[in-house]
Amino acid sequence: MQLDALKALADADRRILDLFEADANRAVEFSASAGDMHFDYSKTQIDESVRAGLIQLCEDAGLAARRDAMFAGEKINETEGRAVLHTALRNLDGGPVDVDGRDVMPEVLDTLQRMRVFAEEVRGGAIAGAGGSFTDVVNIGIGGSDLGPVMATHALAPYHDGPRLHYVSNVDGAHIADTLRQLDPTRTLVIVASKTFTTIETMTNARTARAWMSEGGGDPSRQFAAVSSALDKTQAFGIPEAHVFGFADWVGGRYSVWGPVGLPVMIAVGSNAFDAFLRGGQAMDLHFRSADWAENVPVMLALVGIWHRQVLGHASRAVLPYDQRLLRLPAYFQQLEMESNGKSVAMDGSSLTVPSGPVVWGEPGTNGQHAFYQLIHQGTDVIPCEFMVAAEGHEPELTHHHRLLLANCLAQSEALMRGRSLDEARDRMAANGLTSAELERQARHRVFPGNRPSTTLIYPKLTPFVLGQIVALYEHRVFVEGVLLGINSFDQWGVELGKELATSLGPIVDGEESAQGKDASTAALVAYALKHRD
Ligand code: F6P
């Protein structure tokens, strides 16, 4: 079954509500579970024949073999000649994993143990700054060296009992200035997180932080740590070996929160909670490796994604966690999905004949309801929505808040599916006392087309284990979508050109070189900046 053949199964007139009417068991049949996490995709237009066609795609693409190759450490990142083994970072008791004939697990577990010791010593005060135990930790990193830990730190706030955490990513001096202003340079630990240790934003911020610390009486030789796969560069920066946590090139930046990049999270919540996060990821790995496709949550999430983007052509999808502590999850998924599957060239060098991955965006509910849901309900574009919500919150004294949150989440997916017809809108206007032309005019604005698809992921509570499950679920979803599209989800050549041009523009915006050779627009913008600078 090809993607094109699936298009023949698309039917704009197929009403989701009719599918429920025709099958009393639909909610069960079009759901899948991983542990106690439940994924409901019944509020989509997917019926049995569509699902069969989508599953056939997995067979045609040899998904099982590709999946096993990834877990086995084969070099499936072909354009960079690398294995893809972020799963090894959470393989706590899963046995050996070979890369180039060598088991990488002893080193992974050794680094993890070093992280645990370091994190607990920072938390307990045995590792301290010039002015005493650390009150604050600043993580300097960007992209995958920032978004994962930021997201997880917010998500695990109820478990946060270590020093305060701050994240600096942007090269905009405002970011580091606003962060450091509040901190004591003698009691702050700075973690420089960069896989390559060359990223201009991170290295610029790291140097600024080092100067701030030295000038403020702190001791960078004790108060800096590094997380990187370029150990020679961390040494050249002057970070003591005992404070350096390395990882291999087979961990992609956007897949790296499970290892040393997660160090700030471990310092915040402790090594036991971090272990639980790893175990959640590992549980999802086991599920992904063993469940039949139709029962396999990452696979079904991916197939729903393929159905909406590549078959029906919806250009974006909204990730809508009804969980305030997942406020940075949409941004994290943005990198995970868009940097992985935003490609137009297949692994074999040919051009993709179907659309690449969609635009991924979102905000927590209920906030989004009062901002952009208008367009989701009544705009001209269909935006498939991915809701997620916990059965219970962390605040036993505020259960009424959580019930309202849950009710709102469920109400949105129901409203998207159900819609409101013109006749129903007319009845409401009539009940409000409107008549004739005015009733007709007002009623049209109150029509909801409905039949808009959504999925819901529901879990018991946002614990470290559940967070691990969620993150690994989406990683595998991205992997499956990439395999079905025939692309390499693990490189990111599309970020290079901008970096190169920024380097060449550096001396021009410094006023040291002329803008000759640049296009007229760029030259005029540089001229404006130079003219309006003090
Ligand atoms: O520019 C993109 C990117 O390479 C991401 O893939 C990566 O997560 C980020 O930059 C940061 O890279 P590094 O960890 O090497 O500083």
mmCIF file with all atom_site columns, all heavy atoms in Angstrom, residues 217-230:
data_model
loop_
_atom_site.group_PDB
_atom_site.id
_atom_site.type_symbol
_atom_site.label_atom_id
_atom_site.label_alt_id
_atom_site.label_comp_id
_atom_site.label_asym_id
_atom_site.label_entity_id
_atom_site.label_seq_id
_atom_site.pdbx_PDB_ins_code
_atom_site.Cartn_x
_atom_site.Cartn_y
_atom_site.Cartn_z
_atom_site.occupancy
_atom_site.B_iso_or_equiv
_atom_site.pdbx_formal_charge
_atom_site.auth_seq_id
_atom_site.auth_comp_id
_atom_site.auth_asym_id
_atom_site.auth_atom_id
_atom_site.pdbx_PDB_model_num
ATOM 1  N N   . GLY A 1 217 ? 33.640 37.367 42.484 1.00 0.00 ? 217 GLY A N   1
ATOM 2  C CA  . GLY A 1 217 ? 34.241 36.638 43.608 1.00 0.00 ? 217 GLY A CA  1
ATOM 3  C C   . GLY A 1 217 ? 33.989 35.142 43.586 1.00 0.00 ? 217 GLY A C   1
ATOM 4  O O   . GLY A 1 217 ? 34.380 34.424 44.512 1.00 0.00 ? 217 GLY A O   1
ATOM 5  N N   . GLY A 1 218 ? 33.338 34.658 42.527 1.00 0.00 ? 218 GLY A N   1
ATOM 6  C CA  . GLY A 1 218 ? 33.142 33.212 42.396 1.00 0.00 ? 218 GLY A CA  1
ATOM 7  C C   . GLY A 1 218 ? 34.384 32.546 41.837 1.00 0.00 ? 218 GLY A C   1
ATOM 8  O O   . GLY A 1 218 ? 35.360 33.218 41.486 1.00 0.00 ? 218 GLY A O   1
ATOM 9  N N   . ASP A 1 219 ? 34.349 31.234 41.733 1.00 0.00 ? 219 ASP A N   1
ATOM 10 C CA  . ASP A 1 219 ? 35.524 30.487 41.280 1.00 0.00 ? 219 ASP A CA  1
ATOM 11 C C   . ASP A 1 219 ? 35.127 29.552 40.129 1.00 0.00 ? 219 ASP A C   1
ATOM 12 O O   . ASP A 1 219 ? 34.672 28.427 40.367 1.00 0.00 ? 219 ASP A O   1
ATOM 13 C CB  . ASP A 1 219 ? 36.083 29.689 42.462 1.00 0.00 ? 219 ASP A CB  1
ATOM 14 C CG  . ASP A 1 219 ? 37.326 28.906 42.072 1.00 0.00 ? 219 ASP A CG  1
ATOM 15 O OD1 . ASP A 1 219 ? 37.702 28.924 40.879 1.00 0.00 ? 219 ASP A OD1 1
ATOM 16 O OD2 . ASP A 1 219 ? 37.917 28.268 42.963 1.00 0.00 ? 219 ASP A OD2 1
ATOM 17 N N   . PRO A 1 220 ? 35.302 30.024 38.890 1.00 0.00 ? 220 PRO A N   1
ATOM 18 C CA  . PRO A 1 220 ? 34.881 29.195 37.751 1.00 0.00 ? 220 PRO A CA  1
ATOM 19 C C   . PRO A 1 220 ? 35.551 27.820 37.730 1.00 0.00 ? 220 PRO A C   1
ATOM 20 O O   . PRO A 1 220 ? 34.968 26.866 37.217 1.00 0.00 ? 220 PRO A O   1
ATOM 21 C CB  . PRO A 1 220 ? 35.298 30.019 36.522 1.00 0.00 ? 220 PRO A CB  1
ATOM 22 C CG  . PRO A 1 220 ? 35.397 31.412 37.019 1.00 0.00 ? 220 PRO A CG  1
ATOM 23 C CD  . PRO A 1 220 ? 35.816 31.337 38.461 1.00 0.00 ? 220 PRO A CD  1
ATOM 24 N N   . SER A 1 221 ? 36.740 27.700 38.317 1.00 0.00 ? 221 SER A N   1
ATOM 25 C CA  . SER A 1 221 ? 37.403 26.390 38.257 1.00 0.00 ? 221 SER A CA  1
ATOM 26 C C   . SER A 1 221 ? 36.664 25.371 39.124 1.00 0.00 ? 221 SER A C   1
ATOM 27 O O   . SER A 1 221 ? 36.822 24.174 38.962 1.00 0.00 ? 221 SER A O   1
ATOM 28 C CB  . SER A 1 221 ? 38.873 26.495 38.665 1.00 0.00 ? 221 SER A CB  1
ATOM 29 O OG  . SER A 1 221 ? 38.953 26.718 40.054 1.00 0.00 ? 221 SER A OG  1
ATOM 30 N N   . ARG A 1 222 ? 35.856 25.836 40.061 1.00 0.00 ? 222 ARG A N   1
ATOM 31 C CA  . ARG A 1 222 ? 35.032 24.930 40.889 1.00 0.00 ? 222 ARG A CA  1
ATOM 32 C C   . ARG A 1 222 ? 33.564 24.977 40.518 1.00 0.00 ? 222 ARG A C   1
ATOM 33 O O   . ARG A 1 222 ? 32.820 24.042 40.809 1.00 0.00 ? 222 ARG A O   1
ATOM 34 C CB  . ARG A 1 222 ? 35.137 25.359 42.375 1.00 0.00 ? 222 ARG A CB  1
ATOM 35 C CG  . ARG A 1 222 ? 36.442 24.992 43.023 1.00 0.00 ? 222 ARG A CG  1
ATOM 36 C CD  . ARG A 1 222 ? 36.644 25.770 44.315 1.00 0.00 ? 222 ARG A CD  1
ATOM 37 N NE  . ARG A 1 222 ? 35.567 25.561 45.290 1.00 0.00 ? 222 ARG A NE  1
ATOM 38 C CZ  . ARG A 1 222 ? 35.496 26.220 46.446 1.00 0.00 ? 222 ARG A CZ  1
ATOM 39 N NH1 . ARG A 1 222 ? 36.408 27.111 46.765 1.00 0.00 ? 222 ARG A NH1 1
ATOM 40 N NH2 . ARG A 1 222 ? 34.520 25.982 47.284 1.00 0.00 ? 222 ARG A NH2 1
ATOM 41 N N   . GLN A 1 223 ? 33.140 26.093 39.948 1.00 0.00 ? 223 GLN A N   1
ATOM 42 C CA  . GLN A 1 223 ? 31.707 26.339 39.803 1.00 0.00 ? 223 GLN A CA  1
ATOM 43 C C   . GLN A 1 223 ? 31.186 26.164 38.373 1.00 0.00 ? 223 GLN A C   1
ATOM 44 O O   . GLN A 1 223 ? 30.083 26.594 38.076 1.00 0.00 ? 223 GLN A O   1
ATOM 45 C CB  . GLN A 1 223 ? 31.371 27.744 40.325 1.00 0.00 ? 223 GLN A CB  1
ATOM 46 C CG  . GLN A 1 223 ? 31.599 27.893 41.811 1.00 0.00 ? 223 GLN A CG  1
ATOM 47 C CD  . GLN A 1 223 ? 31.345 29.312 42.305 1.00 0.00 ? 223 GLN A CD  1
ATOM 48 O OE1 . GLN A 1 223 ? 32.128 29.833 43.093 1.00 0.00 ? 223 GLN A OE1 1
ATOM 49 N NE2 . GLN A 1 223 ? 30.272 29.946 41.853 1.00 0.00 ? 223 GLN A NE2 1
ATOM 50 N N   . PHE A 1 224 ? 31.996 25.571 37.533 1.00 0.00 ? 224 PHE A N   1
ATOM 51 C CA  . PHE A 1 224 ? 31.532 25.265 36.177 1.00 0.00 ? 224 PHE A CA  1
ATOM 52 C C   . PHE A 1 224 ? 31.525 23.751 35.975 1.00 0.00 ? 224 PHE A C   1
ATOM 53 O O   . PHE A 1 224 ? 32.406 23.045 36.472 1.00 0.00 ? 224 PHE A O   1
ATOM 54 C CB  . PHE A 1 224 ? 32.458 25.899 35.120 1.00 0.00 ? 224 PHE A CB  1
ATOM 55 C CG  . PHE A 1 224 ? 31.967 27.226 34.593 1.00 0.00 ? 224 PHE A CG  1
ATOM 56 C CD1 . PHE A 1 224 ? 31.856 28.313 35.437 1.00 0.00 ? 224 PHE A CD1 1
ATOM 57 C CD2 . PHE A 1 224 ? 31.614 27.377 33.253 1.00 0.00 ? 224 PHE A CD2 1
ATOM 58 C CE1 . PHE A 1 224 ? 31.409 29.541 34.960 1.00 0.00 ? 224 PHE A CE1 1
ATOM 59 C CE2 . PHE A 1 224 ? 31.163 28.593 32.766 1.00 0.00 ? 224 PHE A CE2 1
ATOM 60 C CZ  . PHE A 1 224 ? 31.057 29.687 33.612 1.00 0.00 ? 224 PHE A CZ  1
ATOM 61 N N   . ALA A 1 225 ? 30.548 23.284 35.255 1.00 0.00 ? 225 ALA A N   1
ATOM 62 C CA  . ALA A 1 225 ? 30.518 21.886 34.812 1.00 0.00 ? 225 ALA A CA  1
ATOM 63 C C   . ALA A 1 225 ? 30.190 21.898 33.324 1.00 0.00 ? 225 ALA A C   1
ATOM 64 O O   . ALA A 1 225 ? 29.686 22.898 32.800 1.00 0.00 ? 225 ALA A O   1
ATOM 65 C CB  . ALA A 1 225 ? 29.465 21.097 35.589 1.00 0.00 ? 225 ALA A CB  1
ATOM 66 N N   . ALA A 1 226 ? 30.471 20.795 32.642 1.00 0.00 ? 226 ALA A N   1
ATOM 67 C CA  . ALA A 1 226 ? 30.191 20.743 31.201 1.00 0.00 ? 226 ALA A CA  1
ATOM 68 C C   . ALA A 1 226 ? 29.577 19.416 30.828 1.00 0.00 ? 226 ALA A C   1
ATOM 69 O O   . ALA A 1 226 ? 29.865 18.380 31.425 1.00 0.00 ? 226 ALA A O   1
ATOM 70 C CB  . ALA A 1 226 ? 31.482 20.967 30.405 1.00 0.00 ? 226 ALA A CB  1
ATOM 71 N N   . VAL A 1 227 ? 28.735 19.484 29.824 1.00 0.00 ? 227 VAL A N   1
ATOM 72 C CA  . VAL A 1 227 ? 28.065 18.313 29.282 1.00 0.00 ? 227 VAL A CA  1
ATOM 73 C C   . VAL A 1 227 ? 28.299 18.353 27.783 1.00 0.00 ? 227 VAL A C   1
ATOM 74 O O   . VAL A 1 227 ? 27.904 19.306 27.131 1.00 0.00 ? 227 VAL A O   1
ATOM 75 C CB  . VAL A 1 227 ? 26.553 18.426 29.594 1.00 0.00 ? 227 VAL A CB  1
ATOM 76 C CG1 . VAL A 1 227 ? 25.768 17.465 28.767 1.00 0.00 ? 227 VAL A CG1 1
ATOM 77 C CG2 . VAL A 1 227 ? 26.296 18.242 31.071 1.00 0.00 ? 227 VAL A CG2 1
ATOM 78 N N   . SER A 1 228 ? 29.000 17.363 27.253 1.00 0.00 ? 228 SER A N   1
ATOM 79 C CA  . SER A 1 228 ? 29.398 17.490 25.850 1.00 0.00 ? 228 SER A CA  1
ATOM 80 C C   . SER A 1 228 ? 29.891 16.160 25.294 1.00 0.00 ? 228 SER A C   1
ATOM 81 O O   . SER A 1 228 ? 30.209 15.240 26.049 1.00 0.00 ? 228 SER A O   1
ATOM 82 C CB  . SER A 1 228 ? 30.535 18.512 25.738 1.00 0.00 ? 228 SER A CB  1
ATOM 83 O OG  . SER A 1 228 ? 30.894 18.712 24.385 1.00 0.00 ? 228 SER A OG  1
ATOM 84 N N   . SER A 1 229 ? 29.973 16.080 23.963 1.00 0.00 ? 229 SER A N   1
ATOM 85 C CA  . SER A 1 229 ? 30.685 14.941 23.391 1.00 0.00 ? 229 SER A CA  1
ATOM 86 C C   . SER A 1 229 ? 32.027 15.384 22.824 1.00 0.00 ? 229 SER A C   1
ATOM 87 O O   . SER A 1 229 ? 32.720 14.598 22.187 1.00 0.00 ? 229 SER A O   1
ATOM 88 C CB  . SER A 1 229 ? 29.833 14.222 22.333 1.00 0.00 ? 229 SER A CB  1
ATOM 89 O OG  . SER A 1 229 ? 29.303 15.117 21.436 1.00 0.00 ? 229 SER A OG  1
ATOM 90 N N   . ALA A 1 230 ? 32.421 16.635 23.078 1.00 0.00 ? 230 ALA A N   1
ATOM 91 C CA  . ALA A 1 230 ? 33.721 17.142 22.606 1.00 0.00 ? 230 ALA A CA  1
ATOM 92 C C   . ALA A 1 230 ? 34.596 17.432 23.828 1.00 0.00 ? 230 ALA A C   1
ATOM 93 O O   . ALA A 1 230 ? 34.743 18.582 24.248 1.00 0.00 ? 230 ALA A O   1
ATOM 94 C CB  . ALA A 1 230 ? 33.509 18.395 21.769 1.00 0.00 ? 230 ALA A CB  1
#
